[in-house]
Amino acid sequence: MSSLARLFADNIVPIIVVASVGFALRRFLNVDVQSVSRVAFYVCIPALVFSLLLNTQIRVTDVLRMMAFAAVIVTCVGILAWLVARLLRLPPSLTAALVLASAFMNSGNYGLSVNNFAFGQNGLAWASLFYITTSLLTNSVGVYIATVGRTSPGRALLGLLRVPAVYSIPLALLVRASGL
């Protein structure tokens, strides 16, 4: 088997299988997708992040560096999208849409799975830090951009309090530091 076929079989096929099972569950058993998404968002992702940060040997400085890296990427892409919107003379609503679609990626659903299959637990831990940072930015800055003129920056930042994964980072680092 060629290396490309093996890479596909080891990393992409498992994701396709899991996605197919999810599709089949929705199609044939009428599983409520919103409930499953809520459980994933409020329980599974924070638990995954907590476990990964607790059980991998990533230093606190590296955690902060990865989070800063993710923030810089989102910021740079957002600025580029905004500049393109200005050059195209897009109205504010389309400018916001372009910035949101360009800068705020969905690095969780597909990205975490690919990183886990390709790089194992350590890769998944790094990808989770990236995902959490982009999720925080999406739920604060992204909300503000989406509602420009309809909400205050402070109210958008309060949206961060509703992202459970935020709490899993300091909790995991505290547990690690205390040696529990």
Side-chain angles (χ1 to χ4, degrees), residues 74 77-82 85 92-106 134 137-148 150:
V74 169
V77 172
I79 290 170
L80 285 173
W82 182 81
S93 61
L94 287 179
T95 298
L98 179 64
V99 170
L100 289 170
S102 301
F104 299 103
M105 67 222 60
N106 181 355
T134 59
L137 291 170
T138 299
N139 287 291
S140 59
V141 178
V143 168
Y144 178 69
I145 291 171
T147 60
V148 167
R150 293 185 298 234

Side-chain angles (χ1 to χ4, degrees), residues 44-56 132 165 167-176:
C44 297
I45 291 174
L48 173 69
V49 170
F50 180 82
S51 175
L52 289 170
L53 290 177
L54 195 61
N55 296 315
T56 57
I132 291 166
Y167 303 107
S168 62
I169 298 170
L171 185 60
L173 296 175
L174 182 66
V175 169
R176 269 180 60 171

Side-chain angles (χ1 to χ4, degrees), residues 2 13 19 32-33 41 46 70 86 89 92 96 109 115 125 131 139 151 170:
S2 75
V13 169
D32 181 24
V33 175
F41 183 76
R86 298 282 34 102
R89 293 187 170 94
N109 298 333
N115 275 283
Y131 164 72
N139 287 291
T151 189

Side-chain angles (χ1 to χ4, degrees), residues 20-32:
S20 298
V21 168
F23 174 79
L25 286 171
R26 172 71 174 139
R27 175 87 180 212
F28 300 112
L29 297 178
N30 202 23
V31 172
D32 181 24

